[in-house]
């Protein structure tokens, strides 16, 4: 007799297929185009982030080609695996509540999760490996078998290899090991230290690369840490407003209430599983809140809080509100993705962030190439790394694309030949300050738009190689 289909697994499969379809529908953002360049020039490290996103894109484009489907292929698949991991982790950490599947449902209903599933950025692999690390710790806690520390170390190392904020995962885990009485015994087990060493070994290529490049990446990202000198509540308001949109209002409230209830269950009942959730949520949340008192916290940074917070919401809040929150979050996610892909509403840039990031790139590339042909130029250049990468993806085959700026000195990319003329594109948002390319002469303007709505205006400039002291790189083109 055939086994009945598990509706939860069927729903996850359907959601994954929808996300794979969305990867084709949505235009590539400048950051994704830039990370595609990483995937074509694999290195142990980069100025902005560790290399995991480049590895994911390289694998995806090997299978699916240098288009949106290939670049984003591992996103929906990774989020499906993360959902399975979180569901199992929740049931093992809190067997009396068995919140796993509901937690995965709440997490998948959030707009931030759906965006991470279809847009390939370093947050995507970080999110996946964060959930997998929670799963490995849950198996360790439920079984009491110390060999799970090797799996914890492997996944934690992969999380670090994805984004530096994964250090908060390790900090929360160490806090739990110190504060939870039932977990302190692991400090006497050599496998805990072996797992930590494994995490460091997985991350070690980034250390080696940074040491060889003047610790450039650590200096760049370390400069973002701290509350800054501009003390006030402006950035705090931005952070909270952003999370209301990215998590959806009801789910954000449920996550906050559930996390507090998990902390109380740990304090009052010595619930070790709830304690692990609390240590993975509250220290990092307090750090982001503290930083927002003096500097901007990007909206995607707190996304790492939601796997643990979703477990807490599913375990400690009313099921009725979870259902309402899941429906609302899913609806908001659908609206955002629909607007990003099809733009049924002709909203201005100020009201539509999808227009600013995703709209009009193929048509812009066509206009720029026409201007290049009219000017008799041999290449197209850009100062903004994302703009240069978008042009490299969308221009016709055989058109050289030159990127200029000090970051390109850290790539293993060829420089363009001397004595050639080109056309450079420069966003008017950058103002009228001096160009990175000395001697650049204005020759016109071009507008990037979607369905007749302006996304951005650019100035066209005539340039010639070489460009003085600024490093230049000839970007790869689609295969």
């Amino acid at each position: 007799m055939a086994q009945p289909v598990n509706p939860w697994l069927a729903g996850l499969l359907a959601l994954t297929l929808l996300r794979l379809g969305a990867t084709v529908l949505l235009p590539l953002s400048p950051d994704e185009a830039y990370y595609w360049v990483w995937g074509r020039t694999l290195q142990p490290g980069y100025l902005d982030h560790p290399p995991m996103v480049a590895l994911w894109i390289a694998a995806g484009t090997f299978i699916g080609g240098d288009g949106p489907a290939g670049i984003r292929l591992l996103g929906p698949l990774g989020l499906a695996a993360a959902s399975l991991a979180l569901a199992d982790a929740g049931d093992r950490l809190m067997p009396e509540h068995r919140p796993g599947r509901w937690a995965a449902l709440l997490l998948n209903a959030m707009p931030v999760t759906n965006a991470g599933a279809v847009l390939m950025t370093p947050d995507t692999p970080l999110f996946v490996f964060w959930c997998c690390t929670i799963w490995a710790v849950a198996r360790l806690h439920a079984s009491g078998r110390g060999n799970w520390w090797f799996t914890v170390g492997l996944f934690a190392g992969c999380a670090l290899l994805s984004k530096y904020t994964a250090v908060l995962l390790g900090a929360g885990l160490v806090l739990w090991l110190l504060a939870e009485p039932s977990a302190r015994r692991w400090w006497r087990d050599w496998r805990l230290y072996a797992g930590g060493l494994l995490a460091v070994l997985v991350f070690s290529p980034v250390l080696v690369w940074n040491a060889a490049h003047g610790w450039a990446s650590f200096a760049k990202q370390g400069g973002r840490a701290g509350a800054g000198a501009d003390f006030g509540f402006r950035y705090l308001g931005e952070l909270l407003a952003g999370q209301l949109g990215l998590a959806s209002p009801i789910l954000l409230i449920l996550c906050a209430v559930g996390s507090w209830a998990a902390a109380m269950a740990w304090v009052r009942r010595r619930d070790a599983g709830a304690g692990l959730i609390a240590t993975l949520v509250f220290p990092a949340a307090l750090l982001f809140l503290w930083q927002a008192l003096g500097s901007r916290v990007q909206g995607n940074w707190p996304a790492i809080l939601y796997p643990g917070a979703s477990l807490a919401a599913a375990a400690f809040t009313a099921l009725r509100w979870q259902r309402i929150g899941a429906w609302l979050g899913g609806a908001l996610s659908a609206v955002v993705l629909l607007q990003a892909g099809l733009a049924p509403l002709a909203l201005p840039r100020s009201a539509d962030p999808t227009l600013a990031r995703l709209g009009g790139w193929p048509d812009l590339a066509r206009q720029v190439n026409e201007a290049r042909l009219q000017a008799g130029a041999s290449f197209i250049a850009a100062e903004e790394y994302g703009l240069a990468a978008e042009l490299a993806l969308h221009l016709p085959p055989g058109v050289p694309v030159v990127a200029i700026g000090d970051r390109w000195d850290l790539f293993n990319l060829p420089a363009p030949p001397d004595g050639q003329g080109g056309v450079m594109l420069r966003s008017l948002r950058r103002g009228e300050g001096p160009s990175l390319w000395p001697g650049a002469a204005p020759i016109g303007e071009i507008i990037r738009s979607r369905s007749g709505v302006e996304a951005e205006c650019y100035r066209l400039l005539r340039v010639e190689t070489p460009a003085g002291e600024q490093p230049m790189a000839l970007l790869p083109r689609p295969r």
Side-chain angles (χ1 to χ4, degrees):
M1 184 176 179
Q3 294 292 325
V5 176
N6 186 312
W8 188 85
L9 290 177
L12 180 61
L13 175 61
L15 179 61
T16 302
L17 292 175
L18 286 173
R19 286 169 171 169
L20 287 169
T23 63
V24 180
L25 179 66
L26 267 63
L28 288 164
S29 71
D31 284 342
E32 290 179 288
Y34 178 51
Y35 299 135
W36 166 78
V37 174
W38 291 18
R40 292 289 300 275
T41 57
L42 291 176
Q43 301 176 174
Y46 300 89
L47 175 64
D48 308 85
H49 298 289
M52 184 62 77
V53 67
L55 296 173
W56 278 38
I57 289 175
T61 53
F62 177 79
I63 298 170
D66 289 318
I71 290 171
R72 296 164 169 163
L73 177 63
L74 294 192
L77 302 180
L79 263 294
S83 301
L84 295 172
L86 192 72
D88 186 70
D91 291 348
R92 292 180 185 277
L93 286 174
M94 292 173 287
E96 70 281 9
H97 298 286
R98 296 191 65 81
R101 292 185 178 184
W102 267 105
L105 173 64
L106 299 181
L107 187 67
N108 278 280
M110 293 181 180
V112 67
T113 307
N114 285 289
V118 298
L119 302 176
M120 181 56 69
T121 70
D123 294 285
T124 303
L126 171 65
F127 203 80
V128 172
F129 290 120
W130 190 288
C131 290
C132 290
T133 305
I134 294 176
W135 170 77
V137 177
R139 296 293 297 252
L140 167 83
H141 176 67
S143 68
R145 296 173 56 191
N147 287 340
W148 279 104
W149 280 118
F150 299 109
T151 309
V152 173
L154 175 63
F155 284 136
C158 289
L160 277 171
L161 211 59
S162 303
K163 199 170 181 181
Y164 295 127
T165 46
V167 71
L168 297 173
L169 175 62
L173 183 54
V174 169
L175 178 59
W176 181 68
L177 290 169
L178 290 170
E180 170 53 41
S182 66
R184 290 175 191 154
R185 69 183 181 92
W186 293 117
W187 292 107
R188 301 187 299 273
D189 192 316
W190 67 272
R191 289 169 293 188
L192 166 64
Y193 304 98
L197 178 60
L198 179 58
V200 173
L201 288 175
V202 172
F203 183 64
S204 62
V206 179
L207 297 173
V208 172
W209 183 89
N210 268 276
H213 294 84
W215 307 102
S217 184
F218 288 169
K220 176 180 172 60
Q221 297 300 335
R224 294 184 174 188
D230 189 16
F231 181 83
F233 296 100
R234 170 194 168 192
Y235 297 123
L236 183 60
E238 285 185 8
L239 173 62
L240 295 178
Q243 298 314 299
L244 283 170
L246 290 171
S248 77
I250 293 177
L251 291 181
L252 180 64
I253 294 171
L254 292 179
C255 284
V257 172
S259 297
W260 179 258
M264 292 300 99
W266 186 30
V267 172
R268 295 170 181 171
R269 302 201 313 266
R270 305 311 308 173
D271 186 331
L276 175 63
I277 293 171
T279 59
L280 292 179
V281 171
F282 278 105
L286 291 173
L287 178 64
F288 291 133
L289 290 171
W290 170 71
Q291 182 165 352
L293 291 175
S295 60
R296 177 170 284 112
V297 174
Q298 298 297 325
N300 57 298
W301 295 357
I304 53 178
L305 304 176
Y306 293 123
S310 294
L311 288 172
F316 297 108
T317 64
L319 182 59
R320 175 173 177 268
W321 283 106
Q322 293 176 37
R323 288 172 174 160
I324 296 173
W327 278 110
L328 177 60
L332 289 175
S333 298
V335 168
V336 172
L337 292 177
L338 184 65
Q339 179 67 15
L342 301 177
L345 301 176
L347 300 174
R349 177 189 171 110
S350 59
D352 185 1
T354 71
L355 170 64
R357 304 298 294 168
L358 306 178
W361 293 111
D363 186 61
L364 176 69
R366 179 189 59 77
Q367 293 183 71
V368 175
N369 193 49
E370 290 177 356
R372 178 188 69 87
L373 294 173
Q374 292 175 5
S378 62
F379 66 86
I380 294 173
E383 296 175 336
E384 297 177 69
Y385 61 84
L387 173 58
E390 286 279 8
L391 294 172
L393 273 171
H394 290 107
L395 282 166
V399 179
V401 177
V402 176
I404 181 171
D406 55 5
R407 72 176 55 241
W408 300 107
D409 200 29
L410 300 174
F411 283 80
N412 298 317
L413 288 169
D418 293 345
Q420 291 192 349
V423 171
M424 187 172 77
L425 206 59
R426 192 167 194 249
S427 172
L428 293 184
R429 288 187 300 107
R430 297 174 67 93
E432 299 298 330
S435 170
L436 296 178
W437 204 305
I443 58 174
E445 293 183 0
I446 286 181
I447 293 176
R448 173 168 63 91
S449 63
R450 182 178 67 187
S451 302
V453 181
E454 180 178 325
E456 196 156 359
C457 186
Y458 302 87
R459 176 156 291 141
L460 285 170
L461 304 103
R462 182 73 188 223
V463 295
E464 292 185 2
T465 55
E469 300 299 321
Q470 284 287 346
M472 293 185 299
L474 200 58
L475 296 191
R477 300 301 315 282
R479 288 164 288 206

